Amino acid sequence: MWWILFVLAVAVIAVVTGLMLYGIRRKTPPQDDDDAPGIRMIVIGGFVVPAIVLTVLFVLMVRDLGAESRELDSAEMTIDVIAHQWWWEVRYDDGRIVSANEVHIPTGQQVKMNLTTDDVIHSYWVPQLQAKVDMIPGIVNEIALQADDPGAYRGICGEFCGVQHAKMQFIVIAHAPAEFDAWLEREATVPQTPVDDPGRVAFLGSTCAGCHRVAGTDAQETLGPDLTHFGSRKTIGAGALSNTTPNLTDWVLDSQRAKPGNKMPPSPVTAAELAAIVDYLEGLD
């Protein structure tokens, strides 16, 4: 459909440009006997041809919309993606496994995705894999996603959704099926850290535990991304920063410097607590 529209657009530009050049180069004004051909050109070029073209495009669009709206019966697994300002919640196995800002899928398999939003309208777009799909409050839209080759595919929010729309990104990571199964099994486990671990104690005693969840701990809030396996993720803040120790330290201390206007407040912690929390989060893999 895109190529059809592109070819037609080029043809229209070419014809209109040719007519403009013809009109500019014409040296004699039109005579009275030129009126009939002029009216005929207006009727054919301004009504008949556009009517035929638009009718054909309408039929093709209806056909493609029907194909886009068909039930996804052949999907081998389902993933729920919920958009928030400005991050992505990702749920597998009916919510048994929860992640954020990364979507992991097996290669060579069609994956059904249920898309919705927790606040304003967003749009889920992975340009290399699928078309842009709106995420609308109170509505669940379905798409089929399939990657034939392993790798990381960049995804973005394609609908303006507020001050940090530009930094609402995610990654679709496609694994070979056996590797994906191993990843899924690892995600289902609870990271083991001693209850007296300094970082765990500092995390649970800080404002972090008031917004985030870490499985196996008293931190069970869902206002922010689930951090259960945060250490294995590639980015911080939905693509705002790469997941490195210096970036994570700056993010925990004051995320507003990297992503102004986001909903995570500064963390009033001491230098020792900050270092311990960063070490703890990096160990959650």
Side-chain angles (χ1 to χ4, degrees), residues 100-180:
N101 301 323
E102 291 183 2
V103 180
H104 292 254
I105 61 174
T107 56
Q109 298 180 20
Q110 188 179 81
V111 178
K112 175 184 173 182
M113 294 200 168
N114 295 326
L115 307 176
T116 189
T117 171
D118 187 52
D119 37 57
V120 301
I121 295 176
H122 299 272
S123 191
Y124 186 88
W125 190 20
V126 190
Q128 292 175 280
L129 298 179
Q130 45 93 195
K132 184 167 56 176
V133 180
D134 281 348
M135 307 168 84
I136 303 170
I139 296 176
V140 177
N141 285 331
E142 299 176 354
I143 63 165
L145 194 67
Q146 180 170 329
D148 295 323
D149 300 313
Y153 302 86
R154 179 172 176 262
I156 59 174
C157 177
E159 181 77 20
F160 180 73
C161 55
V163 65
Q164 280 303 329
H165 163 71
K167 290 184 179 179
M168 186 175 172
Q169 304 174 26
F170 63 97
I171 305 172
V172 174
I173 302 176
H175 307 267
E179 184 181 335
F180 173 77

